[in-house]
């Protein structure tokens, strides 16, 4: 059996922007573990919960009122395609965590639709991660995670959870949907952290 | 291939497996996973009846929804969209999760 990536194109390049084992694609393949949930914008929220019971949440309008950043980053899918120089708009997690006090080292990202993925907190803060709602100047398509998805471009793209609902901070690194069934807990493409 | 617009929308109150009308995500019938699953099952799982642990629906496995444009194969219940099976192939292992099936009923060969 081979898992076929619909985004596979071209041969291994010597492009230094490509992590080991990756190929560049000009497309934006849709890889998804299930149906795309339909999220009415007036029911959308983004939440953060902490180990001491704090729960912060933002409605769509509150989220849009936060400082917005334009982000240009390369993205790397574990199935071997990379897309270079993608342009997004969204809110830095540093802004969302401004009033969060926590001793937790890890987070579980929860998506509408039930998908989960685990990310260490130090990979989410310090200008490394966003909640993105625009791609290439257009509202993020539902197939790509709209209304909003997590964007953690320095890790394999399964960590950039589509249809993001919120982050649950945890004391331990709890494997998410793919991490509990063969994929690496961390997922750094430059170290080829593909499998567990 | 089933088009997204003939997607049967179940009446589910479970937001974790929420209905998705006009779903833009393509999927195929469970039958399409026969080749991949024949590498890990001696039995013909496609013809087997399986019970969904999430909603209790009993159907032929081949009728389920298979999402194959993903880091692994994800097979979901056609009635509630709950995950029935996950299969990930790594260079050295298969990872198989059957926890969404409370049983498989398999006809013995004559």
């Amino acid at each position: 059996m081979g898992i076929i990536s619909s985004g596979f194109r071209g041969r291994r390049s010597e492009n230094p922007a490509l992590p080991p084992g990756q190929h560049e694609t000009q497309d934006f393949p849709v890889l998804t573990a299930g149906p795309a949930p339909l999220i009415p914008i007036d029911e959308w929220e983004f939440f953060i919960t902490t180990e001491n019971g704090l729960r912060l949440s933002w409605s769509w309008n509150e989220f849009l009122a936060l400082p917005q950043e334009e982000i240009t980053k390369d993205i790397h899918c574990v199935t071997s395609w990379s897309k270079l120089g993608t342009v997004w708009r969204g809110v830095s997690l540093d802004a969302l965590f401004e009033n969060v006090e926590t001793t937790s080292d890890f987070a579980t990202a929860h998506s509408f639709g039930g998908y989960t993925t685990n990310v260490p907190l130090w990979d989410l803060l310090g200008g490394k991660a966003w909640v993105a709602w625009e791609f290439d100047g257009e509202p993020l398509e539902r197939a790509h995670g709209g209304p909003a998805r997590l964007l953690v471009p320095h890790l394999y793209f399964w960590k950039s959870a589509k249809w993001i609902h919120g982050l649950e901070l945890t004391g331990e690194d709890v494997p998410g949907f793919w991490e509990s069934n063969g994929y690496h807990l961390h997922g750094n493409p430059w170290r080829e952290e593909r499998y567990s | 291939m089933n088009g997204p617009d003939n997607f049967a929308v179940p009446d589910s109150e479970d937001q974790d497996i929420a209905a998705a009308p006009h779903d833009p995500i393509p999927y195929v019938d469970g039958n399409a996973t026969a080749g991949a699953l024949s590498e890990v099952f001696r039995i013909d799982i496609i013809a087997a009846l399986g019970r969904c642990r999430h909603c209790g629906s009993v159907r032929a496995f081949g009728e389920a929804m298979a999402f194959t444009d993903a880091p692994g194969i994800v097979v979901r219940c056609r009635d509630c969209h709950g995950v029935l099976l996950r299969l990930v192939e790594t260079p050295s292992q298969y990872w198989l999760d059957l926890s969404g099936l409370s049983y498989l009923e398999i006809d013995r060969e004559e």
Side-chain angles (χ1 to χ4, degrees), chain A residues 141-160:
Chain A
E141 288 179 23
R142 190 163 149 227
H144 286 298
R149 74 183 296 162
L150 194 60
L151 180 64
V152 194
H154 70 289
L155 300 179
Y156 282 124
F157 214 45
W158 90 78
K159 298 288 187 180
S160 294

Side-chain angles (χ1 to χ4, degrees), chain A residues 7-188:
Chain A
F8 181 87
R9 179 182 283 184
R11 293 176 181 279
R12 175 81 190 270
S13 140
E14 297 304 312
N15 187 338
L18 290 176
Q22 296 293 109
H23 312 269
E24 185 178 2
T25 179
Q26 303 298 324
D27 303 327
F28 194 174
V30 172
L31 275 75
T32 297
L38 187 64
I39 309 149
I41 213 68
D42 57 352
E43 293 176 20
W44 185 92
E45 66 161 357
F46 179 79
F47 72 78
I48 297 173
T49 62
T50 70
E51 70 286 354
N52 47 26
L54 176 73
R55 186 182 197 276
L56 296 176
S57 71
W58 293 261
S59 69
W60 184 254
N61 286 335
E62 290 167 342
F63 169 74
L64 290 186
L66 294 169
Q68 304 289 323
E69 296 183 9
E70 185 174 294
I71 308 120
T72 301
K73 291 285 182 185
D74 304 337
I75 57 175
H76 310 289
C77 178
V78 72
T79 59
S80 86
W81 59 263
S82 291
K83 188 170 175 60
L84 305 181
T86 59
V87 180
W88 306 79
R89 189 169 179 78
V91 174
S92 165
L93 284 187
D94 296 309
L96 291 157
F97 272 82
E98 196 170 285
N99 297 312
V100 176
E101 287 188 18
T102 181
T103 58
S104 295
D105 288 330
F106 301 97
T108 293
H110 291 270
S111 293
F112 293 98
Y115 180 79
T116 57
T117 188
N118 53 299
V119 188
L121 205 49
W122 58 81
D123 280 306
L124 294 176
L125 301 177
K128 288 185 284 196
W130 297 264
V131 174
W133 59 278
E134 218 179 75
F135 173 76
D136 237 356
E138 300 286 338
L140 187 60
E141 288 179 23
R142 190 163 149 227
H144 286 298
R149 74 183 296 162
L150 194 60
L151 180 64
V152 194
H154 70 289
L155 300 179
Y156 282 124
F157 214 45
W158 90 78
K159 298 288 187 180
S160 294
K162 296 180 179 184
W163 311 297
I164 189 69
H165 187 187
L167 294 172
E168 174 193 6
L169 303 185
T170 57
E172 296 182 5
D173 204 5
V174 182
F177 186 88
W178 290 118
E179 297 86 354
S180 63
N181 206 56
Y183 280 96
H184 198 278
L185 267 183
H186 186 226
N188 181 335

Side-chain angles (χ1 to χ4, degrees), chain B residues 31-52:
Chain B
N31 292 308
T33 64
L37 293 179
S38 69
E39 297 200 20
V40 289
F41 287 104
R42 185 179 64 83
I43 58 157
D44 178 9
I45 187 176
I46 299 303
L49 286 179
R51 182 181 185 276
C52 171

Side-chain angles (χ1 to χ4, degrees), chain B:
Chain B
M1 168 90 65
N2 291 296
D5 285 334
N6 56 29
F7 193 92
V9 179
D11 182 15
S12 171
E13 294 181 355
D14 186 343
Q15 290 304 302
D16 282 352
I17 47 174
H22 310 294
D23 192 337
I25 304 299
Y27 65 95
V28 293
D29 284 339
N31 292 308
T33 64
L37 293 179
S38 69
E39 297 200 20
V40 289
F41 287 104
R42 185 179 64 83
I43 58 157
D44 178 9
I45 187 176
I46 299 303
L49 286 179
R51 182 181 185 276
C52 171
R53 190 179 59 79
H54 311 287
C55 75
S57 170
V58 177
R59 282 179 182 265
F61 186 86
E63 294 179 24
M65 302 162 67
F67 293 84
T68 54
D69 287 333
I73 288 174
V74 180
V75 179
R76 291 176 179 263
C77 173
R78 184 166 289 275
D79 294 306
C80 77
H81 305 173
V83 176
L84 301 176
L85 174 150
R86 295 183 293 171
L87 177 66
V88 167
E89 178 195 25
T90 80
S92 57
Q93 291 174 312
Y94 293 109
W95 283 75
L96 177 65
D97 171 21
L98 290 169
S99 62
L101 285 161
S102 46
Y103 64 72
L104 280 170
E105 184 184 333
I106 304 146
D107 285 342
R108 298 182 66 158
E109 290 178 17
E110 294 293 323

